[in-house]
């Protein structure tokens, strides 16, 4: 009996490690573009606007396919559907490595984002099937931390490759290793009769149950506002610091402090939930502190305190994301069975917040005044705090 338990725990642990590794792959591939940007511009003769579009290309599949991927995950199971996403990502990495034109480079880079789209939608479903509800927030935090770690690794290592092709070949090899590991060690959860928990579920039922659930909408729009605030810091913090006569180098270090904070927040938030035994309380504390940080931390005068302020802002904002993404599987009406559709719907709205809010609402309203812009980002976090407290089916 003990041997069986140990074997089961080992199997679950290995499946989770493989999930983390596969989640790192598309993020690693995307963030190779940033440190290799000057080489890409030179080799392909690009404008800076084309490089910017290239960096955001992996997010395009998620804009159009997040909800569909969630429906497919609930209908056909996680192993096969995410396996297809990983296959497309691996193919995209190869196309990118051997591209001889900007169009091929763009297509290959866009395809690398397919697995991220599928895993984003299905992460709560997979983790909810592997672990009990109390363990889900912590595991989702580790999963998000792995994603952030992949971005950091890409930023620090990509410039050391002797050529663009070698750098992109490396991500291709990693992608194929992840694909093989996925099919070797991942399994769809089975019911007692041996059928998959997702098999036989009608897509219309997935949509009906998910769309009717108020809590899913509250989670989605909380993340909508959080991602808008996150994009303001991610996109404009160095520029805003430049208006304070802070050098580009120091601004880069300050921005890095925020990213490190995001990583730490993914790990700290679940610990806080375990200590306080209340997800709502943690969501409230983290949202309020993040709101203050987004609005005012960039204005802190002393560099050391400025770095500390941005680190704390990153921790409190970053901790909200995995906590919220872990909630749908804990909602009784959703659970692991419909978590894919819920994750897909949330992913779509979350991404719209990152793309639409800053570009089409916050920046025009602020008139390029950074004090107003970051203040509006703080208000977005206040809106997220209110929405989090309205979620009914969590403690």
């Amino acid at each position: 009996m003990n041997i069986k338990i140990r074997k089961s725990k080992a199997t679950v642990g290995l499946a989770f490690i493989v999930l983390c590794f596969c989640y790192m792959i598309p993020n690693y591939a995307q963030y190779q573009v940033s440190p290799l940007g000057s080489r890409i511009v030179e080799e392909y003769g690009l404008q800076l606007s084309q490089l910017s579009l290239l960096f955001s290309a992996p997010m395009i599949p998620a804009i159009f396919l997040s909800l569909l991927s969630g429906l497919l995950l609930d209908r056909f199971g996680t192993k096969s559907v995410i396996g297809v996403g990983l296959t497309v990502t691996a193919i995209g990495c190869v196309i990118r490595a051997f591209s001889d034109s900007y169009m091929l480079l763009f297509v290959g880079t866009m395809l690398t984002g397919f697995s991220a789209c599928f895993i984003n939608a299905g992460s709560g479903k997979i983790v909810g099937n592997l672990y009990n509800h109390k363990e889900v927030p912590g595991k989702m935090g580790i999963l998000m931390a792995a994603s952030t770690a992949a971005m950091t690794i890409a930023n620090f290592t990509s410039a050391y490759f002797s050529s663009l092709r070698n750098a992109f070949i490396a991500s291709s090899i990693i992608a194929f290793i992840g694909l093989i590991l996925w099919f070797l060690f991942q399994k769809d959860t089975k019911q007692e009769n041996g059928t998959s928990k997702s098999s036989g579920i009608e897509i219309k039922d997935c949509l009906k149950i998910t769309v009717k659930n108020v809590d899913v909408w509250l989670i989605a729009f909380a993340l909508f506002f959080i991602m808008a605030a996150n994009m303001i810091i991610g996109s404009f913090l160095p520029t805003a610091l430049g208006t304070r006569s802070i050098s580009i180098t120091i601004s880069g270090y300050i921005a890095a402090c925020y990213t490190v904070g995001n990583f730490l927040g993914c790990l700290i938030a679940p610990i806080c939930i375990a200590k306080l035994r209340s997800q709502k309380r943690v969501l409230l504390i983290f949202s309020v502190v993040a709101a203050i940080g987004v609005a005012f931390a960039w204005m802190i005068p002393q560099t050391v305190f400025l770095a500390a302020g941005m680190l704390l802002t990153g921790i409190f904002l970053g901790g909200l994301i995995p906590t919220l993404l872990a909630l749908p599987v804990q909602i009784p009406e959703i659970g692991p069975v419909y978590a894919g559709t819920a994750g897909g719907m949330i992913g779509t709205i979350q991404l719209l917040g990152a793309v639409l809010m800053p570009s089409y609402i916050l920046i025009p309203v602020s008139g390029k005044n950074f004090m107003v812009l970051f203040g509006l980002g703080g208000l977005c976090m206040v809106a997220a705090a209110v929405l989090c407290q309205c979620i009914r089916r969590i403690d």
Side-chain angles (χ1 to χ4, degrees):
M1 183 66 143
N2 289 335
I3 295 174
K4 281 187 176 181
I5 291 172
R6 284 197 298 270
K7 186 177 179 181
S8 176
K9 285 184 177 180
T11 302
V12 167
L14 187 57
F16 180 70
I17 291 170
V18 170
L19 174 64
C20 290
F21 180 74
C22 290
Y23 198 31
M24 294 175 75
I25 293 167
N27 291 288
Y28 175 79
Q30 179 183 9
Y31 277 79
Q32 279 188 306
V33 173
S34 182
L36 295 172
S38 58
R39 293 194 203 176
I40 294 171
V41 168
E42 183 180 350
E43 191 164 319
Y44 288 89
L46 305 184
Q47 302 294 324
L48 288 179
S49 59
Q50 289 176 300
L51 181 65
S52 175
L53 184 61
L54 186 69
F55 180 76
S56 61
M59 294 172 16
I60 293 174
I63 296 174
F64 299 102
L65 299 177
S66 287
L67 181 56
L68 176 61
S69 64
L71 290 166
L72 293 174
L73 285 161
D74 286 339
R75 178 65 179 85
F76 299 106
T78 54
K79 182 174 182 177
S80 57
V81 175
I82 292 178
V84 171
L86 287 166
T87 302
V88 175
T89 289
I91 292 170
C93 287
V94 173
I95 291 173
R96 186 175 69 164
F98 295 96
S99 61
D100 56 3
S101 67
Y102 173 69
M103 183 55 67
L104 271 178
L105 179 67
F106 179 83
V107 170
T109 304
M110 180 183 68
L111 293 179
T112 64
F114 264 75
S115 60
C117 170
F118 284 70
I119 296 174
N120 278 335
S123 57
K125 183 181 184 73
I126 299 168
V127 175
N129 280 330
L130 290 174
Y131 299 97
N132 63 53
H133 287 181
K134 290 183 179 179
E135 294 179 281
V136 169
K139 299 303 180 185
M140 287 296 289
I142 294 171
L143 185 62
M144 294 298 112
S147 168
T148 307
M151 301 172 192
T152 305
I153 292 168
N155 276 318
F156 279 105
T157 62
S158 297
Y160 290 101
F161 287 97
S162 58
S163 67
L164 281 179
R165 177 162 294 180
N166 287 342
F168 293 155
I169 286 174
S171 60
S172 302
I173 294 170
I174 293 169
F176 276 102
I177 291 173
L179 178 62
I180 293 167
L181 291 174
W182 180 264
F183 282 109
L184 283 177
F185 296 108
Q186 286 293 336
K187 294 181 180 179
D188 284 322
T189 302
K190 306 293 180 181
Q191 294 177 332
E192 291 181 3
N193 61 8
T195 61
S196 170
K197 278 189 176 182
S198 297
S199 64
I201 298 176
E202 294 293 335
I203 287 179
K204 63 179 181 181
D205 293 333
C206 297
L207 272 175
K208 182 179 178 181
I209 290 170
T210 302
V211 170
K212 284 173 59 179
N213 194 283
V214 176
D215 286 340
V216 173
W217 287 102
L218 290 169
I219 294 166
F221 277 99
L223 282 164
F224 175 94
F225 287 111
I226 289 168
M227 292 308 296
N230 185 54
M231 286 300 292
I232 286 173
I233 293 183
S235 300
F236 298 105
L237 179 61
T239 307
L241 294 177
T243 63
R244 294 180 48 199
S245 301
I246 296 175
S247 70
I248 295 174
T249 303
I250 298 298
S251 296
Y253 289 141
I254 301 299
C257 288
Y258 176 75
T259 306
V260 171
N262 286 160
F263 173 82
L264 295 174
C266 293
L267 304 175
I268 291 171
I271 297 172
C272 293
I273 291 170
K275 294 290 185 183
L276 296 177
R277 298 182 181 179
S278 172
Q279 294 182 88
K280 272 194 174 181
R281 196 177 302 169
V282 170
L283 288 169
L284 178 62
I285 294 169
F286 274 54
S287 298
V288 171
V289 176
I292 297 169
V294 171
F296 302 112
W298 73 281
M299 294 189 289
I300 296 173
Q302 295 294 329
T303 303
V304 173
F305 295 117
L306 171 61
M310 293 314 305
L311 178 69
L312 288 172
T313 302
I315 288 172
F316 284 99
L317 192 149
L320 291 167
I321 297 172
T323 304
L324 286 166
L325 290 175
L327 293 181
V329 75
Q330 302 173 55
I331 299 171
E333 297 86 353
I334 302 298
V337 177
Y338 299 106
T341 304
M345 190 176 89
I346 290 168
T348 301
I349 295 171
Q350 175 183 351
L351 192 59
L352 289 174
V355 175
L356 297 182
M357 275 291 282
S359 300
Y360 297 100
I361 298 176
L362 302 181
I363 294 172
V365 169
S366 70
K368 297 183 181 179
N369 182 317
F370 287 117
M371 188 174 294
V372 176
L373 179 61
F374 282 81
L376 290 172
L379 287 178
C380 284
M381 294 306 306
V382 172
V386 172
L387 290 169
C388 288
Q389 296 310 299
C390 293
I391 300 171
R392 303 166 300 171
R393 302 304 294 269
I394 62 168
D395 55 347

